[in-house]
């Protein structure tokens, strides 16, 4: 089944993804700041091991967010270079479908990280 989607609609979705990625970046920064408070306290060694674990996960999450943002911008550029109406078979642009799937995974993994961190922090603050 062919569907016609305007680039404006696709750009709206892309802008939404950019916002999500930027929100994740901000949240990760806040979580790192909270984690830093644990480091500054004289926490036991087992807590410090968990701190290091979260520092590594936050670093990786930030790297993935940067990669996602770059790839989203590339997808937007590809759509900008396309005609005024994009005809597709449930896939506006090959990269768009891929980006949509990657965003779902990105959000799922981020939510898991945030949940893990929130379970860890209340016990340690």
């Amino acid at each position: 089944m062919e569907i016609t989607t305007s680039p404006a609609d696709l750009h709206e979705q892309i802008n939404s993804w950019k916002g999500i990625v930027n929100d994740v970046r901000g949240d990760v920064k806040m979580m790192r700041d909270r984690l830093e408070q644990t480091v500054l306290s004289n926490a036991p060694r087992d807590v410090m091991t968990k701190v290091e674990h979260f520092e590594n996960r936050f670093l990786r999450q930030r790297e993935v967010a940067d990669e996602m943002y770059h790839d989203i911008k590339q997808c937007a550029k590809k759509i900008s270079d396309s005609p005024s109406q994009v005809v597709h078979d449930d896939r506006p642009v090959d990269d768009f479908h891929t980006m949509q799937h990657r965003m779902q995974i990105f959000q799922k993994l981020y939510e898991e990280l945030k949940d893990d961190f929130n379970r860890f922090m209340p016990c340690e603050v």
Side-chain angles (χ1 to χ4, degrees):
M1 174 179 176
E2 284 192 350
I3 299 171
T4 302
T5 306
S6 72
D9 292 340
L10 299 176
H11 280 290
E12 185 177 323
Q13 178 64 62
I14 286 171
N15 287 334
S16 170
W17 291 341
K18 285 181 182 179
I20 291 168
V21 171
N22 281 330
D23 289 346
V24 167
R25 287 173 167 167
D27 288 351
V28 167
K29 182 181 179 341
M30 287 188 318
M31 288 187 284
R32 286 186 74 192
D33 292 345
R34 285 181 59 202
L35 194 63
E36 192 173 299
Q37 295 305 310
T38 301
V39 171
L40 296 175
S41 71
N42 290 325
R45 184 169 175 74
D46 64 320
V47 170
M48 294 309 288
T49 301
K50 292 178 185 174
V51 166
E52 184 177 355
H53 169 76
F54 280 108
E55 285 176 339
N56 291 334
R57 287 183 71 187
F58 293 153
L59 178 63
R60 182 62 188 137
Q61 184 69 45
R62 177 61 194 229
E63 290 171 350
V64 171
D66 290 345
E67 291 168 9
M68 289 296 298
Y69 197 85
H70 174 268
D71 293 348
I72 290 168
K73 287 183 2 182
Q74 293 300 322
C75 186
K77 182 178 180 340
K78 188 171 185 176
I79 291 169
S80 294
D81 294 341
S82 65
S84 62
Q85 292 290 315
V86 179
V87 178
H88 56 90
D89 183 21
D90 290 332
R91 294 168 44 192
V93 177
D94 292 338
D95 289 345
F96 187 85
H97 178 70
T98 301
M99 286 305 305
Q100 193 169 34
H101 180 70
R102 287 180 59 202
M103 278 302 297
Q104 291 170 345
I105 293 169
F106 175 77
Q107 289 176 284
K108 178 183 177 282
L109 293 175
Y110 168 68
E111 289 300 323
E112 290 173 4
L113 170 61
K114 186 169 73 170
D115 290 345
D116 289 349
F117 181 70
N118 286 333
R119 278 193 300 276
F120 167 69
M121 282 308 287
C123 300
E124 310 308 328
V125 176

